[in-house]
């Protein structure tokens, strides 16, 4: 499937919502009015200077942006290159996800919506959504897989404390994919007063593009900060983990059309790519339609979605967003599959070397570094998507 990169290849979404042969809006008829309302309005809303001003003010005063770009000297010495960490773990609520929920709650307000519905895997997106709903005084309903509710109990309590109603998804594997189905069903039944906040660059157009635009603040800051520190705007590599792909999309965004910047995505291999317990989508998947967009997803011979597995709830998803499918398909992105054990080791390694406990999702990105054949002159930016406090119970099993 991998083809050579043509210089003219675009990584922007086209008018029909496609990135190459991926994307679009494959939705049931009953969802059409909701998605169409959003599609017709989102660019105009986002590009409005008053929206931009409010968005950036909240990112600054509420989220705590810009997040630092930290030169990790001991990690650099270990991997034999210059490594910077983009500290999204320092965002309010502990991960990059709030960048998107701030943007989407402002869109929902401008569309006159009164209620927010969302899905969540690790609970991070649910917390980020419940947080902005509290901030803006909107009703919030979050669907979460029953198994994820057990794995991430503190985040369930956080959401409830923030005033959200957390509803368990009890079908299928009882994880993120099922929560997403339930949230979409809810939206179909409540089209007029409800906005659905998707937590990653997945779902029908315009979601992948809208979420990528909100998260692109990450690479916008990286460029400025790297220039201030090194005199160059472009690193040699940008590395990020990919569940649905929103932190990666945000970290890659302003480098998509800079061919000298290599874009590295780390997927969750679980117990191993061919173990039958994995979430390494590009290694195992084929093109198909998942949650409203044509992308690459893990599926059986006859097209049934395969149950994914990863130690990290945030990467436990059978697909990737259409932008990433296109990055893989075109060869613009380089994809690594990282096992549970490799990610845990990378998490402990960063903690010991730099005093930063990363989310286990994030640790997958760090585990890619030793596999990248880095040279001493290379400048690498790793998107440190979130902090590991929520994963302490999992880490402590390895202590
Ligand atoms: C949710 C999450 C991810 C995965 O989501 P993406 O949309 O792929 O970014 C990665 N890291 C952290 C810390 C998360 O909370």
């Amino acid at each position: 499937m991998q083809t050579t990169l043509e210089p003219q290849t675009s990584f922007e979404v086209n008018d029909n919502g496609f990135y190459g042969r991926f994307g679009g809006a494959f939705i049931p008829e009953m969802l059409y009015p909701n998605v169409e309302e959003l599609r017709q309005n989102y660019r105009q809303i986002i590009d409005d200077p008053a929206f931009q001003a409010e968005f950036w003010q909240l990112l600054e005063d509420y989220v705590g942006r810009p997040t630092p770009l930290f030169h990790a000297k001991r990690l650099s010495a270990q991997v034999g290159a210059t490594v910077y960490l983009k500290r999204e773990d320092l965002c309010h609520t502990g991960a990059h996800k709030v960048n998107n929920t701030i943007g989407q709650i402002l869109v929902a307000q401008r569309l006159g919506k009164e209620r927010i519905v969302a899905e969540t895997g690790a609970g991070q997106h649910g917390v980020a959504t419940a947080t902005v709903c509290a901030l803006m005084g909107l009703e919030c309903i979050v669907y979460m897989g029953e198994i994820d509710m057990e794995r991430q109990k503190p985040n369930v309590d956080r959401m409830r404390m923030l005033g959200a109603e957390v509803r368990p998804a009890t079908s299928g594997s009882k994880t993120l994919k099922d929560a997403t189905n339930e949230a979409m069903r809810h939206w179909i039944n409540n089209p007029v007063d409800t906005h659905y906040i998707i937590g990653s660059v997945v779902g029908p157009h315009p979601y992948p593009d809208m979420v990528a635009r909100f998260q692109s603040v990450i690479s916008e800051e990286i460029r400025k900060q790297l220039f201030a520190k090194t005199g160059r705007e472009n690193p040699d590599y940008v590395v990020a983990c990919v569940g649905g792909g929103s932190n990666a999309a945000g970290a890659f965004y302003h480098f998509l059309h800079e061919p000298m910047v290599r874009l590295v995505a780390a997927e969750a291999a679980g117990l191993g790519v061919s173990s039958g317990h994995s979430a390494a989508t590009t290694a195992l998947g084929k093109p198909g339609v998942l949650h409203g967009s044509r992308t690459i997803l893990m599926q059986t011979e006859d097209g049934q979605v395969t149950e994914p597995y990863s130690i990290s709830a945030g990467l436990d998803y059978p697909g990737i967003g259409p932008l990433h499918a296109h990055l893989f398909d075109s060869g613009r992105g380089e994809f690594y599959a990282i096992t549970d054990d490799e990610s845990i080791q990378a998490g402990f390694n960063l903690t010991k070397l730099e005093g930063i406990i990363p989310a286990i999702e994030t640790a997958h990105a760090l585990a890619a570094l030793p596999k990248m054949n880095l040279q001493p002159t290379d400048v690498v930016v790793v998107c440190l998507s979130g902090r590991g406090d929520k994963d302490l119970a999992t880490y402590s099993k390895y202590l």
Side-chain angles (χ1 to χ4, degrees):
M1 200 180 347
Q2 207 113 348
T3 51
T4 35
L5 175 64
E6 289 175 30
Q8 298 308 315
T9 303
S10 172
F11 298 99
E12 245 139 68
V13 79
N14 73 15
D15 288 344
N16 299 321
F18 277 85
Y19 303 87
R21 52 200 191 103
F22 300 103
F26 298 85
I27 49 173
E29 191 104 4
M30 291 173 76
L31 204 55
Y32 185 79
N34 312 29
V35 173
E36 186 58 14
E37 179 188 30
L38 192 61
R39 190 191 68 78
Q40 283 183 3
N41 292 293
Y42 84 109
R43 283 299 303 275
Q44 204 183 330
I45 290 174
I46 294 175
D47 292 342
D48 176 13
F51 178 96
Q52 284 292 322
E54 193 175 355
F55 179 57
W56 283 93
Q57 198 69 54
L58 282 169
L59 289 182
E60 193 176 320
D61 298 340
Y62 189 72
V63 175
R65 304 204 72 92
T67 59
L69 185 70
F70 173 64
H71 181 194
K73 294 204 179 82
R74 295 195 345 122
L75 179 64
S76 296
Q78 186 190 60
V79 301
T82 303
V83 180
Y84 289 92
L85 304 176
K86 181 57 175 163
R87 299 290 310 274
E88 294 302 295
D89 60 315
L90 296 178
C91 289
H92 177 47
T93 71
H96 65 288
K97 289 200 173 71
V98 72
N99 304 324
N100 167 47
T101 57
I102 291 270
Q104 284 203 50
I105 199 100
L106 295 178
V107 169
Q109 279 184 329
R110 280 159 176 79
L111 290 172
K113 307 292 178 179
E114 287 157 11
R115 186 192 301 126
I116 298 297
V117 63
E119 85 295 334
T120 195
Q124 289 292 101
H125 172 58
V127 169
T129 302
T131 298
V132 296
C133 286
L135 176 71
M136 298 300 182
L138 295 192
E139 188 188 340
C140 182
I141 299 169
V142 179
Y143 287 92
M144 187 170 188
E146 213 170 29
I147 290 182
D148 289 338
M149 284 180 74
E150 286 160 27
R151 287 198 283 197
Q152 309 283 349
K153 179 89 172 38
N155 276 342
V156 175
D157 294 341
R158 260 178 215 120
M159 285 184 269
R160 290 186 170 144
M161 189 167 170
L162 288 159
E165 185 191 334
V166 185
R167 294 189 183 166
T170 54
S171 61
S173 57
K174 304 182 174 67
T175 57
L176 178 59
K177 163 174 77 66
D178 314 288
T180 306
N181 289 333
E182 300 276 333
M184 284 210 182
R185 207 165 297 148
H186 183 105
W187 199 26
I188 288 174
N189 293 328
N190 301 272
V192 178
D193 60 353
T194 303
H195 174 69
Y196 176 20
I197 298 193
I198 294 186
S200 191
V201 285
V202 300
H205 178 65
Y207 278 101
D209 182 51
M210 181 170 67
V211 176
R213 283 171 190 273
F214 291 143
Q215 292 292 0
S216 72
V217 58
I218 299 173
S219 50
E220 193 167 334
E221 288 176 8
I222 290 173
R223 293 198 92 160
K224 286 186 198 142
Q225 291 168 321
L226 196 66
F227 184 76
K229 286 177 197 302
T230 68
R232 54 187 272 199
E233 284 189 325
N234 291 340
D236 297 294
Y237 293 89
V238 182
V239 188
C241 66
V242 172
S246 70
N247 87 91
F252 294 170
Y253 197 88
H254 290 278
F255 305 111
L256 287 168
H257 295 99
E258 302 283 353
M260 300 305 287
V261 182
R262 291 170 69 174
L263 307 177
V264 175
E267 291 184 319
L271 301 183
V273 169
S274 40
S275 67
H277 302 278
S278 177
T281 303
T282 60
L284 294 168
K286 285 181 304 195
V289 171
L290 180 67
H291 294 136
S293 77
R294 187 167 193 278
T295 187
I296 297 173
L297 63 131
M298 291 165 39
Q299 53 190 300
T300 59
E301 284 294 313
D302 50 354
Q304 295 291 328
V305 179
T306 312
E307 297 295 351
Y309 164 78
S310 166
I311 194 170
S312 87
L315 304 185
D316 196 352
Y317 186 68
I320 47 174
L323 166 62
H324 296 291
H326 182 47
L327 291 176
F328 175 73
D329 193 37
S330 63
R332 177 71 183 93
E334 298 163 47
F335 286 71
Y336 289 85
I338 307 296
T339 64
D340 288 358
D341 286 347
E342 288 170 329
S343 71
I344 294 290
Q345 275 166 30
F348 278 107
N349 185 58
L350 185 77
T351 305
K352 292 214 176 94
L353 286 180
E354 304 289 351
I356 298 169
I357 303 176
I360 298 178
E361 289 85 356
T362 314
H364 285 72
L366 294 160
L369 293 173
K371 299 173 185 267
M372 286 165 49
N373 189 27
L374 294 171
Q375 305 303 308
T377 54
D378 285 335
V379 173
V380 184
V381 175
V382 181
C383 185
L384 212 78
S385 57
R387 65 176 181 233
D389 305 44
K390 70 181 176 59
D391 296 316
L392 224 55
T394 308
Y395 275 131
S396 65
K397 290 182 193 141
Y398 293 78
L399 275 172

